[in-house]
Every structure is written in C-alpha cells, then in structure tokens.
Amino acid sequence: MEKILVESQDGPVVSCLSNLLQTSADEALASRDIFKVGLSGGSLVQLLAQSLPNISTDWSRWYFFFCDERVVPFDSSDSTYGEYKSKLIGKIPTTEDQFIKINPDLSAEDAAKDYIKKMSVFFPPDRVPCFDVLLLGLGPDGHTCSLFPGHKLLNEASLWVCPINDSPKPPLSRITFTLPVINNARRCIFAITGSSKAEIVKKILQDRENLPAARVRPYNGELYWILDDDAAKLLEMA
C-alpha cells in the first residue's frame, strides 16, 4: 500500500513524520519487546532530530540500525552514525548501544558480514529481517540506501547486507541493505523536502521510471512518501 502525503512546508513534514513514527512505535511496543528502526543519512538526520523529540515512548526499547553506511571512521563527516551521534543522541534519551553500528576498521566485505551477525542478535537468522520501520533517503539519481541505478546489487536476492566498493558517489566503500530486506519491512517511509528533489520525485511517483527507489514496494507492509510542496511541485496531483 502506497500513500503520498503532501505538506505545505518543512514544519508539517516534521509533524507528519513524528505522528507516523509515534503510531509505528505504539503498535510495535504493544505486541513486541523492542521497536526496530532502520536509519538513512543525508537530510533525514536533521528531520529526525526535529521529529523524534516530539514522540512520547519508552525510548529504552528502541533500536536503530543503518539502511546503509559508509565504511569510514565514526568521526568522519561521511559517517552516518557520526551524524546521528552529534545531532540526535542527547536530544532523545537513548544510548550509543541502541545504535547497531558497523565496524569501520574492516573492509566493506567483512563489515557487511559482521553487520549481518550483529543483526542476527535481533532477527531470526533463518528468515529475512522484518523491520518495524525503515526511514529511507532519495538521491537525485533515484538511488536509495546504497542501491544505485544499474548496479548489480539491485538483483541480490538472498543476502541481508552487501558491500559496495564502486559507489558512483563517494566514499566508494559502503554497506547496504538489499531489496529483500527493504521490502520485508512493516513500514517504509520517504520524507523528502526541497525543490532539488522535485524532478526525481516526479520520475518515481508519476513517470514510474524503474529506478532503485521505485523498487521499494513492501510485500506485506506500507509505503509512505511525505513530501513538502517544493518536492511535490512537479506532480500532477500537487
């Protein structure tokens, strides 16, 4: 099920994202021990830094994973975890242990294998992980996570996490969730703002081009696109 929500500006996008995450957390924690969320980087970091403090929840039961991550030291400006550590931890009552991090000292291949082991603590190892929420980003070329147009990883059917050493966008070495994991989530959310994203939003949501982000189609879950007016301005529905 796909839902497209268009908000007038950044503020309502933050409010809409807060409400959706509140609902998701309430549903998860009512029936399961923990709430498992996949994070992406980029502009989403700031949106979550504004959204999450609005949520009333048992934060000790939240665990954060990374939909993709650059294989760089945590103090690098390219580290997605490093961004969340500086902009989010402290704004909500979570600890660093609640963020399931890569080992940045390993190669991308070994970091991906190691991340699968870390995820196996939280998910049965004999089935595809089912995240409560995946918060996804959108690149101007239509990539999401570190799944880029035309890349062989789009066809990965069995591994949960894969390495990439030839990213079209630096840094070259990364790890990324694969489409089977993404599409097994209970809820996938894109929160997109700004006119710079309007063209790619149109290509995906209106023209239905076969780009990586357009291949996010949860098998049994929900897909949300939260857009501000600028990001939605080329859509006929807007």
Side-chain angles (χ1 to χ4, degrees), residues 62-129:
W62 286 51
Y63 281 84
F64 300 93
F65 301 75
F66 291 91
C67 299
D68 68 328
E69 178 61 288
R70 292 84 173 261
V71 185
V72 296
F74 293 149
D75 59 2
S76 166
S77 60
D78 285 323
S79 170
T80 300
Y81 168 66
E83 282 283 283
Y84 280 101
K85 182 178 178 181
S86 65
K87 295 181 179 176
L88 186 61
I89 296 177
K91 288 198 170 186
I92 57 173
T94 53
T95 67
E96 293 186 28
D97 289 344
Q98 289 171 254
F99 289 77
I100 311 307
K101 304 172 281 293
I102 68 164
N103 182 341
D105 298 325
L106 301 176
S107 66
E109 289 81 4
D110 288 340
K113 292 175 185 175
D114 180 66
Y115 207 67
I116 292 171
K117 289 180 183 176
K118 289 175 176 175
M119 288 170 62
S120 296
V121 174
F122 298 88
F123 298 98
D126 59 344
R127 67 191 75 166
V128 178

Short mmCIF file of all heavy atoms in Angstrom, two decimals, residues 62-129:
data_model
loop_
_atom_site.label_atom_id
_atom_site.label_comp_id
_atom_site.label_asym_id
_atom_site.label_seq_id
_atom_site.Cartn_x
_atom_site.Cartn_y
_atom_site.Cartn_z
N TRP A 62 13.78 1.14 21.91
CA TRP A 62 14.06 1.44 20.50
C TRP A 62 15.48 0.98 20.17
O TRP A 62 16.42 1.21 20.94
CB TRP A 62 13.98 2.95 20.23
CG TRP A 62 12.61 3.56 20.20
CD1 TRP A 62 11.63 3.44 21.13
CD2 TRP A 62 12.09 4.42 19.19
NE1 TRP A 62 10.53 4.17 20.78
CE2 TRP A 62 10.79 4.79 19.59
CE3 TRP A 62 12.60 4.93 17.99
CZ2 TRP A 62 10.00 5.64 18.82
CZ3 TRP A 62 11.81 5.79 17.23
CH2 TRP A 62 10.52 6.13 17.64
N TYR A 63 15.64 0.38 18.99
CA TYR A 63 16.97 0.03 18.47
C TYR A 63 17.08 0.53 17.04
O TYR A 63 16.15 0.36 16.24
CB TYR A 63 17.23 -1.47 18.56
CG TYR A 63 17.61 -1.88 19.95
CD1 TYR A 63 16.63 -2.14 20.91
CD2 TYR A 63 18.94 -1.96 20.35
CE1 TYR A 63 16.97 -2.48 22.22
CE2 TYR A 63 19.29 -2.31 21.65
CZ TYR A 63 18.30 -2.57 22.57
OH TYR A 63 18.64 -2.90 23.86
N PHE A 64 18.20 1.17 16.76
CA PHE A 64 18.41 1.82 15.48
C PHE A 64 19.48 1.07 14.68
O PHE A 64 20.56 0.77 15.19
CB PHE A 64 18.87 3.26 15.67
CG PHE A 64 17.89 4.12 16.43
CD1 PHE A 64 18.00 4.27 17.81
CD2 PHE A 64 16.86 4.77 15.77
CE1 PHE A 64 17.10 5.06 18.51
CE2 PHE A 64 15.96 5.57 16.46
CZ PHE A 64 16.08 5.71 17.84
N PHE A 65 19.16 0.78 13.44
CA PHE A 65 20.08 0.14 12.52
C PHE A 65 20.34 1.11 11.36
O PHE A 65 19.70 2.15 11.27
CB PHE A 65 19.47 -1.16 11.99
CG PHE A 65 19.13 -2.16 13.07
CD1 PHE A 65 18.02 -1.98 13.89
CD2 PHE A 65 19.92 -3.28 13.28
CE1 PHE A 65 17.69 -2.89 14.89
CE2 PHE A 65 19.61 -4.20 14.28
CZ PHE A 65 18.50 -4.00 15.08
N PHE A 66 21.25 0.75 10.49
CA PHE A 66 21.57 1.64 9.38
C PHE A 66 21.26 0.95 8.06
O PHE A 66 21.79 -0.12 7.77
CB PHE A 66 23.03 2.09 9.47
CG PHE A 66 23.26 3.01 10.63
CD1 PHE A 66 23.63 2.50 11.87
CD2 PHE A 66 23.01 4.36 10.53
CE1 PHE A 66 23.79 3.34 12.97
CE2 PHE A 66 23.16 5.21 11.62
CZ PHE A 66 23.55 4.70 12.84
N CYS A 67 20.37 1.58 7.28
CA CYS A 67 19.99 1.03 5.98
C CYS A 67 21.19 0.95 5.05
O CYS A 67 21.25 0.08 4.20
CB CYS A 67 18.90 1.89 5.35
SG CYS A 67 17.38 1.98 6.32
N ASP A 68 22.10 1.87 5.21
CA ASP A 68 23.40 1.78 4.58
C ASP A 68 24.36 2.61 5.40
O ASP A 68 23.95 3.41 6.25
CB ASP A 68 23.38 2.22 3.11
CG ASP A 68 23.11 3.71 2.92
OD1 ASP A 68 22.38 4.32 3.75
OD2 ASP A 68 23.63 4.28 1.95
N GLU A 69 25.63 2.39 5.19
CA GLU A 69 26.64 3.14 5.93
C GLU A 69 27.92 3.19 5.12
O GLU A 69 28.26 2.25 4.39
CB GLU A 69 26.87 2.49 7.30
CG GLU A 69 27.95 3.14 8.15
CD GLU A 69 27.68 4.59 8.53
OE1 GLU A 69 27.77 5.45 7.62
OE2 GLU A 69 27.40 4.86 9.71
N ARG A 70 28.62 4.30 5.26
CA ARG A 70 29.92 4.44 4.60
C ARG A 70 30.98 3.80 5.50
O ARG A 70 30.92 3.96 6.72
CB ARG A 70 30.23 5.92 4.41
CG ARG A 70 29.33 6.66 3.40
CD ARG A 70 28.04 7.14 4.01
NE ARG A 70 27.26 7.98 3.10
CZ ARG A 70 27.26 9.30 3.14
NH1 ARG A 70 28.01 9.94 4.01
NH2 ARG A 70 26.53 9.98 2.27
N VAL A 71 31.91 3.09 4.90
CA VAL A 71 32.96 2.42 5.68
C VAL A 71 34.08 3.43 5.92
O VAL A 71 35.09 3.47 5.23
CB VAL A 71 33.46 1.15 4.98
CG1 VAL A 71 34.46 0.42 5.88
CG2 VAL A 71 32.29 0.22 4.65
N VAL A 72 33.83 4.29 6.89
CA VAL A 72 34.75 5.36 7.27
C VAL A 72 34.76 5.45 8.79
O VAL A 72 33.83 4.97 9.45
CB VAL A 72 34.33 6.72 6.66
CG1 VAL A 72 34.40 6.69 5.13
CG2 VAL A 72 32.92 7.12 7.13
N PRO A 73 35.77 6.08 9.39
CA PRO A 73 35.75 6.26 10.85
C PRO A 73 34.52 7.05 11.30
O PRO A 73 34.00 7.90 10.57
CB PRO A 73 37.05 7.04 11.11
CG PRO A 73 37.93 6.73 9.95
CD PRO A 73 37.00 6.58 8.77
N PHE A 74 34.08 6.79 12.53
CA PHE A 74 32.88 7.45 13.04
C PHE A 74 33.04 8.97 13.16
O PHE A 74 32.05 9.70 13.16
CB PHE A 74 32.48 6.88 14.40
CG PHE A 74 32.01 5.45 14.34
CD1 PHE A 74 32.23 4.60 15.42
CD2 PHE A 74 31.35 4.95 13.23
CE1 PHE A 74 31.80 3.27 15.38
CE2 PHE A 74 30.91 3.63 13.18
CZ PHE A 74 31.14 2.78 14.26
N ASP A 75 34.29 9.44 13.28
CA ASP A 75 34.49 10.88 13.39
C ASP A 75 34.63 11.56 12.03
O ASP A 75 34.83 12.77 11.94
CB ASP A 75 35.71 11.21 14.27
CG ASP A 75 37.00 10.61 13.73
OD1 ASP A 75 36.98 9.96 12.66
OD2 ASP A 75 38.05 10.79 14.40
N SER A 76 34.46 10.79 10.94
CA SER A 76 34.48 11.37 9.60
C SER A 76 33.14 12.05 9.31
O SER A 76 32.08 11.60 9.75
CB SER A 76 34.71 10.26 8.56
OG SER A 76 34.42 10.72 7.26
N SER A 77 33.19 13.12 8.54
CA SER A 77 31.95 13.81 8.16
C SER A 77 31.08 12.94 7.25
O SER A 77 29.91 13.23 7.04
CB SER A 77 32.27 15.12 7.46
OG SER A 77 33.04 14.89 6.29
N ASP A 78 31.66 11.86 6.71
CA ASP A 78 30.90 10.95 5.85
C ASP A 78 30.18 9.85 6.64
O ASP A 78 29.40 9.09 6.05
CB ASP A 78 31.82 10.29 4.83
CG ASP A 78 32.23 11.24 3.71
OD1 ASP A 78 31.39 12.05 3.28
OD2 ASP A 78 33.39 11.16 3.26
N SER A 79 30.43 9.73 7.93
CA SER A 79 29.84 8.67 8.72
C SER A 79 28.39 9.01 9.08
O SER A 79 28.13 10.03 9.73
CB SER A 79 30.64 8.44 10.01
OG SER A 79 29.93 7.59 10.89
N THR A 80 27.46 8.16 8.66
CA THR A 80 26.05 8.39 9.01
C THR A 80 25.86 8.25 10.51
O THR A 80 25.16 9.07 11.13
CB THR A 80 25.15 7.41 8.24
OG1 THR A 80 25.33 7.62 6.83
CG2 THR A 80 23.68 7.65 8.58
N TYR A 81 26.45 7.25 11.12
CA TYR A 81 26.35 7.13 12.57
C TYR A 81 26.93 8.37 13.25
O TYR A 81 26.35 8.89 14.22
CB TYR A 81 27.05 5.88 13.09
CG TYR A 81 27.19 5.91 14.60
CD1 TYR A 81 26.06 5.86 15.42
CD2 TYR A 81 28.43 6.06 15.21
CE1 TYR A 81 26.17 5.93 16.80
CE2 TYR A 81 28.55 6.12 16.59
CZ TYR A 81 27.41 6.06 17.38
OH TYR A 81 27.53 6.15 18.74
N GLY A 82 28.06 8.85 12.77
CA GLY A 82 28.66 10.05 13.35
C GLY A 82 27.72 11.24 13.32
O GLY A 82 27.66 12.03 14.28
N GLU A 83 26.94 11.36 12.22
CA GLU A 83 25.95 12.44 12.12
C GLU A 83 24.86 12.30 13.17
O GLU A 83 24.48 13.27 13.83
CB GLU A 83 25.33 12.44 10.72
CG GLU A 83 26.19 13.05 9.64
CD GLU A 83 26.17 14.56 9.70
OE1 GLU A 83 25.19 15.17 9.27
OE2 GLU A 83 27.17 15.12 10.23
N TYR A 84 24.36 11.09 13.34
CA TYR A 84 23.32 10.88 14.34
C TYR A 84 23.86 11.08 15.76
O TYR A 84 23.18 11.61 16.63
CB TYR A 84 22.69 9.49 14.19
CG TYR A 84 21.67 9.43 13.09
CD1 TYR A 84 21.97 8.89 11.85
CD2 TYR A 84 20.39 9.95 13.28
CE1 TYR A 84 21.03 8.85 10.82
CE2 TYR A 84 19.44 9.92 12.27
CZ TYR A 84 19.76 9.37 11.05
OH TYR A 84 18.83 9.35 10.04
N LYS A 85 25.09 10.65 15.97
CA LYS A 85 25.69 10.81 17.30
C LYS A 85 25.76 12.29 17.67
O LYS A 85 25.47 12.67 18.82
CB LYS A 85 27.08 10.19 17.32
CG LYS A 85 27.76 10.26 18.69
CD LYS A 85 29.12 9.58 18.66
CE LYS A 85 29.80 9.70 20.02
NZ LYS A 85 31.15 9.07 20.02
N SER A 86 26.12 13.13 16.72
CA SER A 86 26.29 14.55 17.03
C SER A 86 24.97 15.32 17.04
O SER A 86 24.83 16.29 17.77
CB SER A 86 27.25 15.19 16.03
OG SER A 86 26.71 15.17 14.72
N LYS A 87 23.98 14.87 16.27
CA LYS A 87 22.75 15.65 16.12
C LYS A 87 21.53 15.07 16.82
O LYS A 87 20.54 15.78 17.01
CB LYS A 87 22.43 15.83 14.63
CG LYS A 87 23.47 16.65 13.90
CD LYS A 87 23.11 16.84 12.43
CE LYS A 87 24.16 17.70 11.73
NZ LYS A 87 23.88 17.82 10.28
N LEU A 88 21.60 13.78 17.23
CA LEU A 88 20.41 13.17 17.80
C LEU A 88 20.61 12.67 19.22
O LEU A 88 19.77 12.94 20.10
CB LEU A 88 19.95 12.00 16.91
CG LEU A 88 18.62 11.36 17.31
CD1 LEU A 88 17.49 12.36 17.24
CD2 LEU A 88 18.33 10.17 16.40
N ILE A 89 21.70 11.94 19.47
CA ILE A 89 21.93 11.44 20.82
C ILE A 89 22.09 12.64 21.76
O ILE A 89 22.89 13.53 21.53
CB ILE A 89 23.17 10.53 20.87
CG1 ILE A 89 22.94 9.28 20.02
CG2 ILE A 89 23.50 10.14 22.30
CD1 ILE A 89 24.12 8.34 19.94
N GLY A 90 21.30 12.65 22.80
CA GLY A 90 21.25 13.81 23.69
C GLY A 90 19.95 14.58 23.54
O GLY A 90 19.46 15.17 24.50
N LYS A 91 19.37 14.53 22.33
CA LYS A 91 18.06 15.15 22.13
C LYS A 91 16.94 14.20 22.55
O LYS A 91 15.83 14.63 22.88
CB LYS A 91 17.87 15.55 20.67
CG LYS A 91 18.70 16.76 20.25
CD LYS A 91 18.15 17.35 18.96
CE LYS A 91 18.80 18.69 18.67
NZ LYS A 91 18.19 19.36 17.51
N ILE A 92 17.22 12.90 22.48
CA ILE A 92 16.29 11.89 22.98
C ILE A 92 17.07 10.98 23.92
O ILE A 92 18.28 10.82 23.77
CB ILE A 92 15.66 11.08 21.82
CG1 ILE A 92 16.74 10.42 20.96
CG2 ILE A 92 14.74 11.96 20.98
CD1 ILE A 92 16.20 9.48 19.91
N PRO A 93 16.39 10.39 24.91
CA PRO A 93 17.10 9.60 25.94
C PRO A 93 17.48 8.21 25.45
O PRO A 93 16.94 7.19 25.89
CB PRO A 93 16.11 9.56 27.10
CG PRO A 93 14.77 9.69 26.45
CD PRO A 93 14.98 10.58 25.25
N THR A 94 18.42 8.16 24.52
CA THR A 94 18.93 6.89 24.02
C THR A 94 20.43 6.82 24.29
O THR A 94 21.08 7.84 24.54
CB THR A 94 18.69 6.76 22.51
OG1 THR A 94 19.22 7.91 21.84
CG2 THR A 94 17.22 6.63 22.20
N THR A 95 20.96 5.62 24.22
CA THR A 95 22.39 5.44 24.41
C THR A 95 23.03 5.00 23.09
O THR A 95 22.34 4.53 22.18
CB THR A 95 22.67 4.36 25.47
OG1 THR A 95 22.23 3.08 24.95
CG2 THR A 95 21.93 4.66 26.77
N GLU A 96 24.33 5.10 23.05
CA GLU A 96 25.05 4.68 21.84
C GLU A 96 24.86 3.19 21.58
O GLU A 96 24.88 2.75 20.43
CB GLU A 96 26.54 5.02 21.96
CG GLU A 96 26.82 6.51 21.97
CD GLU A 96 28.31 6.82 21.95
OE1 GLU A 96 29.08 5.99 21.43
OE2 GLU A 96 28.70 7.89 22.46
N ASP A 97 24.63 2.41 22.63
CA ASP A 97 24.44 0.96 22.47
C ASP A 97 23.16 0.62 21.72
O ASP A 97 23.02 -0.50 21.20
CB ASP A 97 24.41 0.27 23.84
CG ASP A 97 25.78 0.26 24.51
OD1 ASP A 97 26.78 0.49 23.80
OD2 ASP A 97 25.83 0.02 25.73
N GLN A 98 22.22 1.56 21.68
CA GLN A 98 20.97 1.32 20.95
C GLN A 98 21.12 1.52 19.45
O GLN A 98 20.20 1.23 18.69
CB GLN A 98 19.86 2.21 21.50
CG GLN A 98 19.39 1.79 22.89
CD GLN A 98 18.46 2.79 23.54
OE1 GLN A 98 18.83 3.53 24.45
NE2 GLN A 98 17.23 2.84 23.05
N PHE A 99 22.27 2.00 19.02
CA PHE A 99 22.57 2.16 17.60
C PHE A 99 23.47 0.99 17.18
O PHE A 99 24.59 0.85 17.69
CB PHE A 99 23.27 3.50 17.34
CG PHE A 99 22.37 4.68 17.50
CD1 PHE A 99 22.02 5.16 18.77
CD2 PHE A 99 21.84 5.34 16.40
CE1 PHE A 99 21.18 6.24 18.93
CE2 PHE A 99 20.99 6.43 16.55
CZ PHE A 99 20.67 6.88 17.81
N ILE A 100 22.98 0.16 16.30
CA ILE A 100 23.73 -1.02 15.86
C ILE A 100 24.65 -0.57 14.72
O ILE A 100 24.19 -0.30 13.60
CB ILE A 100 22.79 -2.14 15.42
CG1 ILE A 100 21.71 -2.37 16.49
CG2 ILE A 100 23.58 -3.41 15.15
CD1 ILE A 100 22.24 -2.61 17.90
N LYS A 101 25.92 -0.49 15.02
CA LYS A 101 26.89 0.18 14.15
C LYS A 101 27.75 -0.82 13.40
O LYS A 101 27.95 -1.95 13.85
CB LYS A 101 27.78 1.11 14.99
CG LYS A 101 27.01 2.12 15.81
CD LYS A 101 27.89 2.89 16.76
CE LYS A 101 28.24 2.12 18.02
NZ LYS A 101 27.10 1.88 18.91
N ILE A 102 28.30 -0.38 12.28
CA ILE A 102 29.28 -1.19 11.58
C ILE A 102 30.61 -1.15 12.34
O ILE A 102 30.80 -0.33 13.24
CB ILE A 102 29.51 -0.71 10.13
CG1 ILE A 102 30.21 0.68 10.11
CG2 ILE A 102 28.22 -0.67 9.36
CD1 ILE A 102 30.80 1.03 8.77
N ASN A 103 31.52 -2.04 11.97
CA ASN A 103 32.90 -1.94 12.42
C ASN A 103 33.68 -1.24 11.32
O ASN A 103 33.95 -1.83 10.27
CB ASN A 103 33.48 -3.33 12.68
CG ASN A 103 34.91 -3.28 13.20
OD1 ASN A 103 35.60 -2.27 13.05
ND2 ASN A 103 35.36 -4.36 13.80
N PRO A 104 34.03 0.04 11.51
CA PRO A 104 34.65 0.81 10.44
C PRO A 104 36.09 0.43 10.16
O PRO A 104 36.68 0.92 9.19
CB PRO A 104 34.55 2.25 10.95
CG PRO A 104 34.59 2.12 12.43
CD PRO A 104 33.87 0.85 12.75
N ASP A 105 36.66 -0.46 10.98
CA ASP A 105 38.04 -0.88 10.78
C ASP A 105 38.15 -2.06 9.81
O ASP A 105 39.26 -2.47 9.46
CB ASP A 105 38.67 -1.28 12.12
CG ASP A 105 38.73 -0.10 13.09
OD1 ASP A 105 38.95 1.03 12.63
OD2 ASP A 105 38.55 -0.33 14.29
N LEU A 106 37.02 -2.60 9.39
CA LEU A 106 37.02 -3.74 8.48
C LEU A 106 36.89 -3.29 7.03
O LEU A 106 36.50 -2.15 6.75
CB LEU A 106 35.86 -4.67 8.83
CG LEU A 106 35.83 -5.26 10.24
CD1 LEU A 106 34.57 -6.09 10.43
CD2 LEU A 106 37.07 -6.12 10.50
N SER A 107 37.18 -4.20 6.11
CA SER A 107 36.88 -3.94 4.71
C SER A 107 35.36 -3.93 4.53
O SER A 107 34.61 -4.42 5.40
CB SER A 107 37.48 -5.03 3.83
OG SER A 107 36.84 -6.28 4.09
N ALA A 108 34.90 -3.41 3.41
CA ALA A 108 33.46 -3.39 3.17
C ALA A 108 32.88 -4.81 3.19
O ALA A 108 31.80 -5.04 3.74
CB ALA A 108 33.16 -2.71 1.84
N GLU A 109 33.61 -5.76 2.61
CA GLU A 109 33.13 -7.15 2.58
C GLU A 109 32.98 -7.70 4.00
O GLU A 109 31.95 -8.29 4.35
CB GLU A 109 34.10 -8.04 1.79
CG GLU A 109 34.10 -7.78 0.29
CD GLU A 109 34.94 -6.58 -0.12
OE1 GLU A 109 35.60 -5.99 0.75
OE2 GLU A 109 34.92 -6.24 -1.32
N ASP A 110 34.00 -7.51 4.81
CA ASP A 110 33.94 -8.02 6.18
C ASP A 110 32.98 -7.23 7.05
O ASP A 110 32.33 -7.79 7.94
CB ASP A 110 35.34 -8.03 6.80
CG ASP A 110 36.23 -9.11 6.20
OD1 ASP A 110 35.70 -10.06 5.60
OD2 ASP A 110 37.47 -8.99 6.31
N ALA A 111 32.86 -5.93 6.79
CA ALA A 111 31.92 -5.10 7.55
C ALA A 111 30.48 -5.55 7.28
O ALA A 111 29.64 -5.57 8.19
CB ALA A 111 32.09 -3.63 7.21
N ALA A 112 30.20 -5.93 6.04
CA ALA A 112 28.85 -6.40 5.70
C ALA A 112 28.55 -7.72 6.41
O ALA A 112 27.47 -7.91 6.98
CB ALA A 112 28.72 -6.56 4.19
N LYS A 113 29.51 -8.65 6.38
CA LYS A 113 29.32 -9.93 7.07
C LYS A 113 29.15 -9.72 8.58
O LYS A 113 28.30 -10.36 9.22
CB LYS A 113 30.52 -10.84 6.81
CG LYS A 113 30.63 -11.31 5.37
CD LYS A 113 31.92 -12.10 5.15
CE LYS A 113 32.10 -12.48 3.69
NZ LYS A 113 33.40 -13.14 3.46
N ASP A 114 29.95 -8.83 9.14
CA ASP A 114 29.88 -8.53 10.56
C ASP A 114 28.54 -7.90 10.92
O ASP A 114 27.96 -8.18 11.98
CB ASP A 114 31.03 -7.59 10.94
CG ASP A 114 31.03 -7.23 12.42
OD1 ASP A 114 31.24 -8.13 13.25
OD2 ASP A 114 30.83 -6.03 12.74
N TYR A 115 28.01 -7.06 10.03
CA TYR A 115 26.73 -6.41 10.31
C TYR A 115 25.59 -7.42 10.29
O TYR A 115 24.65 -7.32 11.09
CB TYR A 115 26.47 -5.27 9.31
CG TYR A 115 25.59 -4.19 9.88
CD1 TYR A 115 26.03 -3.39 10.93
CD2 TYR A 115 24.30 -3.98 9.41
CE1 TYR A 115 25.21 -2.41 11.48
CE2 TYR A 115 23.48 -3.01 9.95
CZ TYR A 115 23.95 -2.22 10.99
OH TYR A 115 23.14 -1.25 11.54
N ILE A 116 25.68 -8.40 9.40
CA ILE A 116 24.67 -9.46 9.40
C ILE A 116 24.69 -10.21 10.74
O ILE A 116 23.64 -10.53 11.30
CB ILE A 116 24.91 -10.42 8.22
CG1 ILE A 116 24.62 -9.71 6.89
CG2 ILE A 116 24.04 -11.67 8.35
CD1 ILE A 116 25.04 -10.51 5.66
N LYS A 117 25.88 -10.47 11.27
CA LYS A 117 25.99 -11.13 12.58
C LYS A 117 25.35 -10.28 13.67
O LYS A 117 24.64 -10.79 14.55
CB LYS A 117 27.46 -11.40 12.91
CG LYS A 117 28.11 -12.48 12.09
CD LYS A 117 29.57 -12.68 12.51
CE LYS A 117 30.25 -13.72 11.64
NZ LYS A 117 31.69 -13.85 11.98
N LYS A 118 25.60 -8.98 13.62
CA LYS A 118 25.02 -8.09 14.63
C LYS A 118 23.50 -8.05 14.51
O LYS A 118 22.78 -8.02 15.53
CB LYS A 118 25.61 -6.69 14.49
CG LYS A 118 27.07 -6.60 14.92
CD LYS A 118 27.66 -5.23 14.65
CE LYS A 118 29.10 -5.15 15.18
NZ LYS A 118 29.77 -3.86 14.83
N MET A 119 22.99 -8.05 13.29
CA MET A 119 21.54 -8.06 13.10
C MET A 119 20.92 -9.37 13.57
O MET A 119 19.77 -9.39 14.05
CB MET A 119 21.22 -7.83 11.62
CG MET A 119 21.48 -6.41 11.14
SD MET A 119 21.38 -6.24 9.34
CE MET A 119 19.67 -6.68 9.04
N SER A 120 21.68 -10.48 13.47
CA SER A 120 21.14 -11.79 13.84
C SER A 120 20.83 -11.90 15.33
O SER A 120 20.11 -12.81 15.75
CB SER A 120 22.12 -12.89 13.43
OG SER A 120 22.26 -12.94 12.03
N VAL A 121 21.36 -10.99 16.13
CA VAL A 121 21.01 -10.94 17.55
C VAL A 121 19.55 -10.52 17.71
O VAL A 121 18.87 -10.90 18.67
CB VAL A 121 21.94 -9.96 18.29
CG1 VAL A 121 21.50 -9.76 19.74
CG2 VAL A 121 23.38 -10.43 18.21
N PHE A 122 19.05 -9.73 16.75
CA PHE A 122 17.71 -9.15 16.85
C PHE A 122 16.69 -9.80 15.93
O PHE A 122 15.48 -9.59 16.10
CB PHE A 122 17.78 -7.65 16.51
CG PHE A 122 18.64 -6.85 17.45
CD1 PHE A 122 20.00 -6.72 17.21
CD2 PHE A 122 18.10 -6.25 18.57
CE1 PHE A 122 20.81 -5.97 18.07
CE2 PHE A 122 18.89 -5.52 19.44
CZ PHE A 122 20.25 -5.38 19.19
N PHE A 123 17.16 -10.57 14.95
CA PHE A 123 16.26 -11.20 13.97
C PHE A 123 16.61 -12.68 13.84
O PHE A 123 17.79 -13.04 13.90
CB PHE A 123 16.41 -10.53 12.60
CG PHE A 123 16.05 -9.07 12.57
CD1 PHE A 123 17.04 -8.10 12.66
CD2 PHE A 123 14.73 -8.67 12.44
CE1 PHE A 123 16.72 -6.76 12.61
CE2 PHE A 123 14.40 -7.33 12.38
CZ PHE A 123 15.39 -6.37 12.48
N PRO A 124 15.63 -13.53 13.63
CA PRO A 124 15.92 -14.96 13.40
C PRO A 124 16.85 -15.11 12.20
O PRO A 124 16.58 -14.54 11.13
CB PRO A 124 14.54 -15.56 13.13
CG PRO A 124 13.57 -14.61 13.74
CD PRO A 124 14.17 -13.25 13.60
N PRO A 125 17.93 -15.86 12.33
CA PRO A 125 18.91 -15.94 11.25
C PRO A 125 18.45 -16.72 10.03
O PRO A 125 19.08 -16.64 8.98
CB PRO A 125 20.10 -16.64 11.92
CG PRO A 125 19.51 -17.39 13.06
CD PRO A 125 18.34 -16.59 13.53
N ASP A 126 17.33 -17.44 10.16
CA ASP A 126 16.88 -18.29 9.06
C ASP A 126 15.76 -17.66 8.23
O ASP A 126 15.15 -18.33 7.40
CB ASP A 126 16.41 -19.64 9.60
CG ASP A 126 15.28 -19.51 10.61
OD1 ASP A 126 15.07 -18.39 11.12
OD2 ASP A 126 14.61 -20.52 10.90
N ARG A 127 15.51 -16.37 8.44
CA ARG A 127 14.48 -15.71 7.63
C ARG A 127 14.87 -14.25 7.42
O ARG A 127 15.70 -13.70 8.14
CB ARG A 127 13.11 -15.83 8.28
CG ARG A 127 12.96 -15.08 9.59
CD ARG A 127 11.67 -15.44 10.32
NE ARG A 127 11.76 -16.76 10.94
CZ ARG A 127 10.90 -17.20 11.84
NH1 ARG A 127 9.87 -16.45 12.19
NH2 ARG A 127 11.07 -18.38 12.39
N VAL A 128 14.26 -13.62 6.45
CA VAL A 128 14.59 -12.23 6.12
C VAL A 128 14.13 -11.32 7.26
O VAL A 128 13.00 -11.47 7.76
CB VAL A 128 13.91 -11.81 4.80
CG1 VAL A 128 14.21 -10.34 4.48
CG2 VAL A 128 14.38 -12.70 3.66
N PRO A 129 14.98 -10.39 7.71
CA PRO A 129 14.58 -9.48 8.80
C PRO A 129 13.32 -8.70 8.46
O PRO A 129 13.11 -8.32 7.30
CB PRO A 129 15.79 -8.54 8.93
CG PRO A 129 16.93 -9.28 8.35
CD PRO A 129 16.36 -10.14 7.27
#
